[in-house]
Amino acid sequence: MKYVITGAAGNVSKPLTEILLAAGQEVIVIGRNASNLAELQSKGAEIRIGSIEDRVFLAETFRGADAVFTMCPADMQEPSIRHFYERLAKTYEWAIRESGVKNVVNLSSIGANLESGAGPVSAMHQVETSLNRLQDVNVLHLRAAYFFNNYLNYIQMIEAMGIMGNNFSVAANEFPMVHTDDIAGVAASELLSLRFKGKGHRYVVGAETGTDEMARLIGNAIDMLGMPWIQFTDEQTRDGLMGAGASAGVADEIVELGGAINSGILFKEYRKEKPGKRGHVDAEDFSGMFARLWFATKTREKAAETYPAIVVGAGHAGLSASYHLKAAGIEHIVLEKGTIGHSWKTQRWDNFRLNTYDAAKLLPGESIENAGDNYFPTAKEFANDLEAYVRNNDLPVRQSAEVISVEKTEEEYSFKIIVLEKGRRKIYHCDQLIVCSGAQNRKPLHKIESLLPENITAIHASEYKNAAQLPPGAVLVVGSAQSGCQIAEEMALNGKKVFLATSNVPRVPGRYRGKDIVEWLTMARFFDQKEKDLKDPAMKLLPAPQLTGTTNPRETISLQGLAAKSVSILGSLIGVDDNHFLFEKNGREHVRFADEFSESVKQMIDDFIGKAGIETPLHIEEHADIADTHASCVNDAASISISENEISSVIFATGFSGSFDFLRLPVLDAEGNPIHAEGVSPVDGLYFLGLPWLINRGSGLIRGTANDSGVITEKVIKILRNKQPGSRSRVMENS
């Protein structure tokens, strides 16, 4: 389709254009300055140079488009924003009518229902009114919340006075906010689907916070703890705006907007319709973005520190590497973005449990003597175990130290690492670098997510905590690997009506012939298989097998077992329209694949037991592990009604993707995945640890990563000990 985007150099229109281009669409962008549009032109956009106040130019540019995106820029030097927007509204109305365009997405604002009393936002009321007069044109107004990006305007105030403030103050959890990237995502989904009809609006909100909270979060992020939010008088605010270059009329209008925010009248209509769907950027995310920009503009930084080795990431992989380095007397540090075991604390739900027995989660130096098969810790318990591991082994972990970039230098200690540490920019140098972070730190956007109806609450599995956080109604879980199955089971047991969109995922029983299945697989050397020995390379891409449930960590979980608990088993989710989820009819294939994998694993174990002459008790087959020969547990529906089934929520249990953007080195492929040979990168001195199939099949497990850490650190230790004496003064030889 063909789209025309106004304001294409702006914070909303630019990412919107990039999304549409990435989707293979024809896009024309409008702007006053060709140089500002050069980047979009290089990505395939057609540029038109002109003014959005020129109605003839607009009509000619709009003609032939399937849809247009309209927005009204803020010009602080106009005598009045309201009058400026009224002129633009009439220009847009005339140009759209003359061009024959039939679909319009217009960027508006929360509070645009107010004809007066809200300054620039009331001006947007006039824009909505003008566009709504268009006959036979579908118009959707995106009523966006207060932009997170507006807080960037406070940088000078922070530098000068160490405060943030305005003529309003909003209590915690009462201030709707949104990042411009999230607005762009919503606009793109509406333009690509063109499902809106007639005249209407949609609220776009990322999070609800408060002004004190925003000041605190931003202050903490930039090392200004306890930074306050100050409510200024209207006169102080007006003087400040005019001092910054605003006209008297615009200053008065913005002061009026602050009053509408302060009284809450701006949000009154929104509260009545309050949508469940939220954006991806929340207050904490934005405070991190703010800090990165803040420190990027500062010349001050702490003095550089140099170490023979540095480890990035303080999860089980990084701590395993640190243990070996410390044992070998190698001076090093571990840089952790958050806290020790951060992802275990923040990306797991309340009842999440590790599904392998004790010995399978041992880290280097931990004894198997005290390990049994009865302890299946929760995520928080395992994170506590990691913290104890650091204390017991006195490992040099630096928390709240986010790696921003890694570069190679010609110096003796050849890696330069720029870090945002407790809000301050810092530089480290090292000779050897082990990257143990980044493999699962990005939530991929499912192709369906941006097309969901506005009244559907959508979250990623990492954001799910318990069934109580979801609104009343049924839920669709997308993804049938371990997390998806466990979440579906938990919600079904909590009385939720659950639909599960499946995919090709292997499964194995939790226990077999008297032992935990992982113990048998370890004994049979199943996890020693290397990637090159796979008969089918596609097996490497499969997710970890479905193994056990949440209520009983010994109990096998399977699609047929979930069906017995009233979960509706469907095929792969492939689409959504206004009132239906659409599925591929491949659910039976997924059940058969899982069953066949389980049978093949049990046969392999039987063969191993027979050859080893091991006596075992008879296997008592669980109901959930009995093969569903005809896949009768599957619902073959190609679509299900959202309204008839009262579906109010979707949980995307679709895993994580990696993000290694901080590596400014030729160690990533075209998709951004690490290039390595059993953990060794193409750049001398840089290694990866904690990746699936790093060395063998077991690399994806906690114990497997612990084993891999010994292999990787042995290379590091050998190189450092072979350095010239002058270069290894901080490497302590063991006696």
Side-chain angles (χ1 to χ4, degrees), residues 248-299:
V250 169
D252 287 338
E253 289 169 336
I254 293 177
V255 167
E256 183 179 79
L257 172 59
I261 292 173
N262 199 56
S263 69
I265 191 174
L266 193 75
F267 316 125
K268 187 174 181 180
E269 194 71 20
Y270 160 73
R271 299 284 178 213
K272 295 178 182 178
E273 303 180 31
K274 193 172 181 179
K277 196 172 182 182
R278 295 291 180 89
H280 295 280
V281 179
D282 61 19
E284 289 193 8
D285 295 329
F286 178 75
S287 64
M289 297 176 186
F290 188 104
R292 283 189 285 275
L293 181 62
W294 171 271
F295 288 108
T297 62
K298 308 300 172 188
T299 57

Side-chain angles (χ1 to χ4, degrees), residues 353-370:
R353 286 186 177 275
L354 275 72
N355 54 18
T356 53
Y357 72 123
D358 267 11
K361 64 177 184 64
L362 292 176
L363 300 185
E366 292 186 323
S367 173
I368 198 169
E369 295 176 358
N370 298 323

Side-chain angles (χ1 to χ4, degrees), residues 376-598:
F376 297 83
T378 65
K380 290 182 179 179
E381 287 172 339
F382 184 63
N384 291 338
D385 289 346
L386 294 179
E387 291 176 342
Y389 186 76
V390 171
R391 291 193 302 271
N392 294 339
N393 294 288
D394 194 23
L395 301 181
V397 177
R398 299 202 177 177
Q399 302 181 76
S400 299
E402 179 182 4
V403 175
I404 304 300
S405 68
V406 175
E407 300 172 352
K408 191 84 165 165
T409 71
E410 298 301 323
E411 302 169 9
E412 176 188 352
Y413 285 96
S414 58
F415 290 104
K416 177 183 178 182
I417 306 168
I418 299 178
V419 176
L420 189 62
E421 187 170 346
K422 294 183 178 178
R424 190 172 293 277
R425 188 172 183 266
K426 189 168 181 180
I427 291 179
Y428 291 95
H429 294 280
C430 69
D431 185 273
Q432 302 286 297
L433 179 66
I434 307 176
V435 177
C436 308
S437 176
Q440 294 193 7
N441 61 1
R442 177 176 290 171
K443 297 173 285 191
L445 179 67
H446 192 280
K447 62 182 180 180
I448 304 301
E449 187 170 353
S450 63
L451 303 178
L452 291 175
E454 184 182 0
N455 61 342
I456 296 291
T457 295
I459 61 174
H460 189 268
S462 62
E463 300 165 316
Y464 171 76
K465 298 304 176 187
N466 52 62
Q469 82 182 92
L470 300 177
V475 61
L476 170 66
V477 179
V478 182
S480 58
Q482 184 73 19
S483 292
C485 286
Q486 287 191 348
I487 291 172
E489 178 189 50
E490 176 175 291
M491 287 189 294
L493 294 175
N494 276 275
K496 282 275 189 183
K497 184 177 182 181
V498 182
F499 297 88
L500 179 62
T502 61
S503 52
N504 233 25
V505 180
R507 74 167 180 84
V508 292
R511 291 182 66 81
Y512 186 64
R513 295 183 69 171
K515 289 184 182 292
D516 186 283
I517 193 73
V518 175
E519 185 174 1
W520 279 126
L521 293 174
T522 302
M523 293 170 63
R525 305 183 69 84
F526 174 77
F527 296 119
D528 294 347
Q529 186 178 30
K530 293 185 177 293
E531 182 182 347
K532 64 182 179 63
D533 298 325
L534 286 173
K535 294 180 181 178
D536 181 3
M539 293 294 289
K540 177 191 171 184
L541 303 177
L542 289 174
Q546 302 159 358
L547 186 56
T548 59
T550 56
T551 54
N552 182 353
R554 289 177 175 273
E555 183 180 281
T556 296
I557 199 166
S558 67
L559 297 180
Q560 52 266 48
L562 290 174
K565 295 176 181 178
S566 300
V567 175
S568 182
I569 308 299
L570 297 150
S572 302
L573 178 65
I574 57 173
V576 60
D577 61 23
D578 285 342
N579 191 42
H580 291 84
F581 287 113
L582 311 177
F583 302 89
E584 187 175 346
K585 291 187 175 183
N586 56 4
R588 294 179 185 270
E589 297 172 23
H590 298 158
V591 171
R592 293 190 186 101
F593 175 81
D595 287 348
E596 289 168 3
F597 190 92
S598 177

Side-chain angles (χ1 to χ4, degrees), residues 507 556 558 560-564 620-628:
R507 74 167 180 84
T556 296
S558 67
Q560 52 266 48
L562 290 174
I620 302 175
E621 198 163 38
E622 295 179 74
H623 177 77
D625 190 37
I626 299 174
D628 185 356

